[in-house]
Amino acid sequence: MKKLLSLATLLLLGIAVNAQEKKTNPSYDAVLAKKYEADDNGMKMYILVILKTGANTTATKLESDSAFAGHMANMGKLVKENKLIVAGPMGKNDKNYRGIFILNSKSIDEAKAILATDPAVKAKLLDADLFNWYGSAALAAYLTEVDKVRKFK
C-alpha cells in the first residue's frame, strides 16, 4: 500500500510539473512579436478609454457637429500614427457611455495627452475614464484588414 501511495504521488507530481512546463509555439514569429511589442505570452499593455458624455451641455448644434467632425478626423490621424488601435461607439445605456478607445500607449499620462488632441474632448462634449488593459499584442493586426470588410467608406 505504501508503494502504491508513493507511486501515485510521483505520478501526480510528474503530471503537475509537465502541466507547468512551457511548450514553444511552433507558429511563433519573432519578427512579428517584436513589431507588435509582444511579451512572451503574446500580450502587451494598452490604455482602455471609456468615453462618456461630457460636462458641456450648452454647445450649439453647429459647435457640436464641428467638434464631432474633428473627433472623427482625429481618430483617423491617431490610427495612422499607430496610437489608436480600436474605436467604436456604444449602444444606448444608462451610464452615459458613448464609446471606447484602445490606445497604444504605455501610460495613463501619455493617453491623456493623446486624448487632449480630440476636439470633442477639448470642447467637453466627451469625457473619459482611463484604465490599464492587458490584451493581445496582435490586436493592431486587424487594422490592415478593416478596409477589406467594410462595404462603404
Side-chain angles (χ1 to χ4, degrees):
M1 185 68 172
K2 209 175 199 181
K3 286 184 182 183
L4 186 58
L5 186 56
S6 296
L7 180 60
T9 303
L10 284 174
L11 280 172
L12 287 173
L13 184 59
I15 290 169
V17 168
N18 191 32
Q20 291 177 356
E21 181 181 318
K22 292 185 179 184
K23 294 184 168 90
T24 302
N25 175 6
S27 300
Y28 179 70
D29 182 333
V31 173
L32 196 60
K34 184 176 181 179
K35 174 184 175 182
Y36 290 124
E37 301 174 335
D39 64 15
D40 286 347
N41 296 311
M43 308 280 278
K44 68 180 276 184
M45 288 301 297
Y46 297 94
I47 302 298
L48 170 65
V49 179
I50 299 179
L51 297 168
K52 57 189 179 181
T53 302
N56 183 351
T57 59
T58 61
T60 67
K61 179 168 176 23
L62 183 62
E63 291 168 332
S64 181
D65 288 350
S66 176
F68 280 103
H71 169 74
M72 298 303 288
N74 191 58
M75 285 191 303
K77 177 178 119 349
L78 293 175
V79 167
K80 286 178 183 163
E81 294 172 352
N82 193 37
K83 292 179 181 176
L84 179 62
I85 303 300
V86 173
M90 297 179 92
K92 288 197 183 265
N93 61 79
D94 62 354
K95 303 222 184 277
N96 292 318
Y97 293 152
R98 304 283 296 276
I100 67 161
F101 286 165
I102 296 179
L103 297 176
N104 190 17
S105 173
K106 300 204 183 317
S107 72
I108 298 283
D109 287 338
E110 180 184 357
K112 286 179 181 177
I114 292 168
L115 289 175
T117 68
D118 188 302
V121 173
K122 281 184 194 176
K124 299 194 185 299
L125 295 169
L126 291 175
D127 196 6
D129 290 331
L130 291 84
F131 306 91
N132 288 303
W133 183 72
Y134 187 62
S136 172
L139 194 58
Y142 96 92
L143 291 171
T144 61
E145 305 295 333
V146 72
D147 273 341
K148 298 175 186 174
V149 298
R150 64 178 171 193
K151 192 171 183 178
F152 303 105
K153 282 200 172 217

